[in-house]
């Protein structure tokens, strides 16, 4: 526990960062009929419109489904669907249009438009908000750890816009939201144990518990990362009097249990029992019968493919992110940040190990290793340390260049479609850049909903994003000077 006052992320920068990241995730879209998107949407339609969880009417349009008896259900953890239900319900009341009014056919443009609108709104009030909020907290934490607002902003931009977190935040998949929630919990633990005064504020353990619990409702493997962060929280409070420590941990546990209740409610609502998961009835993926729902043991070849492989490697889609490993090493070596560096490294190791142990480690139709997305914010934290310590102009130029390249790559991914066909040996180049971005096969709000040309939609985004970025850079430079003079 630290007693000294730490530098905070500049408030104006934080507001502009939230706006930029949220806008970036909402402006672009993913394919609404991708099976992973579709099955979650279909379950949301069933719950909001008919008060049931069965997706029998839509099951022919998705390969991601579970079958119990004669009925079909979503085969995923329910978190993302539950977050989408209010959006689906609200749009039905606003427009008077229901899924039952649509012809269920993959070639039906009206069905695609119906699903597209609901997907975009669900993302806007779900994944986009979580990613934007997490980026603000990373700005604050990285600034506090390094004492540099510039380092904090660098880490936050690398996480939210310089990595595949951006593209996966345009979907209803749980990878980016889980990454955000694990980061939110990390910030709450760090901030809530940073001083004796912070230890008395109940909002931090509540936030940590809720974030970790809801991460599990979205993706079950998040429980492993949650255990690691819980152990770190226990370590951070080891010197606190037992009465206060018991209160802090009890509040966090209550928050976690409260967040898990919707999972139990969904199981009872959908299956009539608390103890059934959609994965138990998966249709068509025999690999899910191996080990624990497809998890066996880590394979070195899979780990290499996750990090460096041309087909899915993180280094190709988010080149700046892997540099964060060097920053984490420096954090572990420094006594003041050792526990934070170790906690981040453990979470990264858990995420990568689980991904490398999964029978479908490559994620099917995916740009980059989607199952490893929750490791990205912790690697980004290391980037802040690297920025702070690499003060020579030449090294800073390298860091800026890598971030620029990473943002450009992920702009192309987010503006086309983050779901890459399994048919490509190099989906980033062959599909994202060559087959989609360069010919102008983009997905933006103006061209998807108002008939604009794709390039006009992209240029309008740039017209908004660049001024926000410049504003953040100016404010951050001022804050950096203020900190250095102090």
């Amino acid at each position: 526990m630290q007693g000294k006052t730490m530098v905070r992320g500049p408030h104006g920068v934080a507001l502009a960062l939230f706006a930029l990241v949220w806008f970036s995730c909402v402006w672009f879209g993913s394919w609404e009929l991708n099976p992973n998107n579709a099955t979650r949407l279909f379950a949301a339609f069933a719950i909001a419109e008919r008060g049931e969880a069965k997706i029998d009417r839509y099951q022919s349009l998705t390969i991601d489904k579970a079958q119990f008896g004669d009925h079909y259900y979503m085969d995923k953890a329910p978190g993302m669907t539950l977050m989408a239900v209010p959006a689906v319900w609200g749009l039905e009341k606003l427009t008077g249009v229901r899924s039952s009014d649509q012809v269920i056919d993959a070639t039906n443009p009206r069905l695609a438009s119906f699903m597209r609108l609901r997907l975009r709104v669900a993302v806007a009030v779900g994944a986009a908000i979580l990613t934007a909020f997490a980026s603000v907290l990373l700005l604050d934490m990285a600034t506090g750890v390094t004492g540099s607002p510039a380092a904090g902003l660098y880490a936050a931009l690398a996480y939210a816009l310089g990595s595949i977190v951006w593209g996966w935040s345009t979907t209803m998949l749980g990878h980016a939201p889980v990454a955000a929630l694990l980061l939110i919990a990390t910030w709450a633990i760090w901030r809530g144990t940073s001083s004796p005064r912070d230890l008395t504020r109940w909002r931090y353990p509540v936030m940590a518990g809720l974030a970790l619990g809801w991460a599990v409702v979205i993706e079950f493997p998040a429980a492993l990362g949650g255990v690691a962060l819980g152990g770190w929280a226990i370590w951070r409070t080891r010197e606190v009097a037992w009465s206060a420590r018991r209160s802090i941990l009890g509040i966090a546990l209550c928050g976690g249990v409260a967040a898990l209740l919707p999972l139990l409610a969904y199981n009872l609502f959908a299956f009539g029992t608390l103890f059934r998961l959609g994965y138990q009835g998966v249709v068509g993926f025999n690999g899910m019968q191996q080990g624990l729902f497809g998890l066996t043991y880590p394979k070195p070849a899979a780990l290499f493919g996750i990090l460096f492989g041309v087909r899915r490697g993180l280094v190709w889609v988010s080149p700046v992110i892997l540099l964060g490993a060097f920053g984490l090493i420096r954090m572990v070596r420094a006594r003041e940040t050792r526990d934070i560096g170790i906690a981040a490294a453990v979470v990264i190791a858990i995420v990568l190990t689980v991904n490398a142990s999964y029978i479908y480690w490559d994620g099917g139709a995916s740009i980059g290793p989607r199952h490893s997305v929750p490791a990205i914010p912790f690697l980004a934290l290391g980037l802040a340390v690297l920025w702070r310590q690499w003060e020579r102009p030449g090294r800073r130029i390298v860091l800026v260049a890598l971030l620029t390249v990473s943002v450009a790559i992920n702009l192309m991914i987010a503006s086309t479609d983050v779901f890459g066909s399994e048919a490509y040996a190099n989906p980033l180049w062959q599909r994202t850049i060559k087959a989609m971005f360069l010919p102008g096969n983009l997905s933006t709000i103006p061209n998807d909903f108002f008939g604009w040309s794709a390039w006009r939609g992209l240029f309008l985004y740039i017209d908004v994003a660049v001024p926000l970025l410049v504003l953040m850079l100016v404010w951050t430079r001022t804050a950096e000077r203020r900190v250095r003079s102090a």
Side-chain angles (χ1 to χ4, degrees):
M1 184 178 65
Q2 304 296 321
K4 62 182 181 181
T5 301
M6 288 178 290
V7 180
R8 301 299 302 262
H11 289 224
V13 176
L15 290 172
L17 178 65
F18 183 94
L20 174 61
V21 174
W22 182 85
F23 174 67
S24 299
C25 296
V26 170
W27 192 256
F28 303 109
S30 59
W31 185 36
E32 59 279 348
L33 281 170
N34 174 274
N36 269 287
N37 271 335
T39 193
R40 291 174 169 88
L41 279 172
F42 294 152
F45 296 163
I47 294 171
E49 296 178 4
R50 300 192 306 279
E52 63 180 21
K54 303 180 187 70
I55 63 168
D56 297 342
R57 186 166 186 263
Y58 322 101
Q59 62 88 15
S60 62
L61 297 185
T62 178
I63 59 173
D64 289 333
K65 55 196 172 187
Q67 184 175 9
F68 297 101
D70 296 328
H71 297 290
Y72 291 91
Y73 302 83
M74 172 182 65
D75 64 342
K76 311 298 181 185
M80 295 305 295
T81 288
L82 296 178
M83 290 171 65
V85 166
V88 171
W89 180 85
L91 283 170
E92 178 199 343
K93 301 305 178 186
L94 185 64
T95 65
V97 180
R98 299 162 57 97
S99 65
S100 57
D101 301 326
Q102 311 301 315
V103 176
I104 305 302
D105 186 332
T107 62
N108 178 12
R110 290 186 61 189
L111 175 64
S113 297
F114 176 87
M115 293 180 63
R116 186 179 306 123
L117 176 60
R118 282 143 185 82
L119 172 63
R120 291 297 188 86
V121 175
V123 165
V125 300
I129 286 179
L130 285 174
T131 297
F133 183 49
S135 69
V136 169
L137 298 188
L138 180 57
L139 166 71
D140 184 61
M141 183 174 183
T143 299
V145 168
T146 62
S148 168
L153 180 61
Y154 185 84
L157 290 174
Y159 155 68
L161 301 181
S163 78
I164 50 172
V165 165
W166 186 357
W168 291 110
S169 296
T170 68
T171 75
M172 278 188 66
L173 278 70
H175 312 305
V178 165
L181 288 165
L182 291 180
L183 180 57
I184 290 167
T186 301
W187 177 88
I189 294 168
W190 168 76
R191 178 59 69 185
T193 56
S194 293
S195 71
R197 182 181 179 186
D198 287 323
L199 284 166
T200 64
R201 294 175 172 170
W202 59 267
R203 63 176 177 266
Y204 296 120
V206 167
M207 184 183 296
L210 288 174
L212 292 178
W214 193 249
V216 175
V217 180
I218 292 176
E219 293 284 353
F220 300 134
L224 299 175
V227 169
L229 292 176
W232 178 52
I234 293 173
W235 170 261
R236 294 273 291 185
T237 57
R238 68 193 182 280
E239 297 179 356
V240 178
W242 172 241
S243 59
R245 192 184 194 198
R246 181 178 56 192
S247 176
I248 293 167
L249 298 178
I251 291 172
L253 183 61
C254 289
V257 171
L260 287 171
L261 291 179
L263 171 61
L264 301 179
Y266 173 82
N267 287 346
L268 191 62
F269 167 75
F271 309 122
T273 174
L274 298 175
F275 306 107
R276 175 178 286 178
L277 304 178
Y279 287 114
Q280 294 174 264
V282 168
V283 175
F285 291 90
N286 295 329
M288 295 295 288
Q289 307 306 316
Q290 299 184 26
L292 179 64
F293 300 127
L295 292 175
T296 54
Y297 59 91
K299 290 89 172 173
L303 182 59
F304 179 86
I306 290 165
L307 296 175
F308 308 110
V310 173
R311 188 161 172 262
R312 291 288 184 269
L314 186 63
V315 70
W316 305 108
V317 293
S318 308
V320 71
I321 286 298
L322 287 185
L323 277 182
F326 297 102
L328 290 180
I329 292 173
R330 292 166 182 253
M331 290 180 71
V332 173
R333 287 177 176 173
R335 183 177 179 181
E336 297 81 4
T337 58
R338 183 169 297 153
D339 69 301
I340 304 173
I342 291 174
V346 170
V347 173
I348 292 167
I350 289 172
V351 172
L352 295 178
T353 300
V354 170
N355 193 171
S357 302
Y358 188 37
I359 187 66
Y360 302 113
W361 67 268
D362 64 348
S366 172
I367 299 293
R370 63 184 178 91
H371 295 293
S372 289
V373 165
I376 289 176
F378 298 94
L379 286 165
L381 183 60
L383 285 174
V385 175
L386 213 57
W387 176 273
R388 181 68 181 86
Q389 296 187 0
W390 282 13
E391 293 188 296
R392 294 180 182 177
R395 291 183 174 183
R396 289 276 176 89
I397 289 173
V398 170
L399 289 176
V400 170
L402 272 175
L403 178 57
T404 302
V405 170
S406 294
V407 171
I409 290 171
N410 285 282
L411 173 61
M412 290 188 284
I413 292 172
S415 64
T416 52
D417 187 17
V418 73
F419 297 111
S421 171
E422 297 179 72
Y424 295 104
N426 185 344
L428 175 63
W429 167 249
Q430 293 173 299
R431 184 177 185 271
T432 298
I433 298 175
K434 191 175 178 181
M436 298 195 73
F437 186 80
L438 294 178
N441 296 321
L442 313 181
S443 177
T444 70
I445 287 178
N447 70 280
D448 284 346
F449 295 101
F450 306 118
W452 288 30
S453 72
W455 292 115
R456 287 182 65 193
L458 178 64
F459 292 145
L460 181 56
Y461 165 78
I462 293 173
D463 287 342
V464 175
V466 169
L468 276 173
L469 180 59
V470 171
L471 192 62
M472 283 191 292
L473 294 176
V474 171
W475 286 347
T476 300
R477 186 177 182 183
T478 301
E480 189 80 9
R481 288 175 174 173
R482 188 181 301 118
V483 168
R484 288 180 179 271
S485 64

